[in-house]
Amino acid sequence: MPYPPPLRTPPGTRRRTLLASAAGAALLAGCSAAGESGGDGPSAADRARARAARDSRELLARYDAALTAHPGLAELLRPLRARVAAHATAFAAGTPTASATASATVSATASPAPSAPAGEKDALAGLAAAERALADRRAKDLLHVPGELARLLASVAAAGAAHAYLLTEGAR
């Protein structure tokens, strides 16, 4: 009796696997962090939130640079940029040193504006890589923060992974 051929699955992480792992990690982090009462818990969460806000602002600057350099990508990039701006606002809103208006926090960047690659495909690939790296870092960070912030990090990490996928598909 012949063996059936092996199943063909595309290489790389599947979207369902990525989203399920981010959601599962958020549940675990929320359960474990809720019971902890360390002396430096809130300050560690504040630092993580501030870092996430800064990372989102830096990613937003990369989107702005790509839009400036490649106006033809506006239809693809504007909706994703809007979500990244919303993520930066969500993270900045919970920081104790946040400015009076979250929009001012989102538009203010501490570092110089990045430059976009010359080609559209290279710009999309660079944004996809940045989104993927940030999503991975946030998925790791959510294991070390309290419940609500862990859920926010998990949600934004999942959105970043979806952005990376859309940017990769947009480059084809």
Side-chain angles (χ1 to χ4, degrees), residues 54-169:
R54 184 192 68 235
D55 290 343
S56 290
R57 287 191 307 270
E58 289 172 0
L59 183 59
L60 189 61
R62 290 184 70 138
Y63 271 94
D64 289 341
L67 281 165
T68 300
H70 307 289
L73 295 175
E75 186 177 333
L76 174 64
L77 296 183
R78 279 203 179 112
L80 302 177
R81 185 212 177 273
R83 296 313 315 153
V84 171
H87 299 158
T89 301
F91 286 122
T95 58
T97 59
S99 62
T101 60
S103 61
T105 305
V106 170
S107 63
T109 56
S111 58
S115 61
E120 287 185 355
K121 287 192 177 209
D122 291 337
L124 290 175
L127 283 171
E131 285 273 17
R132 196 174 298 109
L134 188 53
D136 290 345
R137 188 167 56 244
R138 286 179 171 160
K140 291 176 186 171
D141 287 350
L142 67 85
L143 298 173
H144 308 288
V145 295
E148 191 60 35
L149 180 55
R151 286 184 282 281
L152 179 59
L153 280 170
S155 175
V156 174
H163 289 181
Y165 174 79
L166 292 171
L167 289 165
T168 303
E169 290 300 309

Side-chain angles (χ1 to χ4, degrees), residues 4-54:
L7 295 176
R8 297 254 176 195
T9 58
T13 306
R14 294 179 53 187
R15 283 179 286 169
R16 271 185 255 151
T17 304
L18 184 62
L19 293 174
S21 64
L27 289 174
L28 288 175
C31 293
S32 64
E36 294 176 6
S37 59
D40 67 335
S43 65
D46 290 343
R47 286 191 307 271
R49 185 180 287 273
R51 183 175 52 252
R54 184 192 68 235

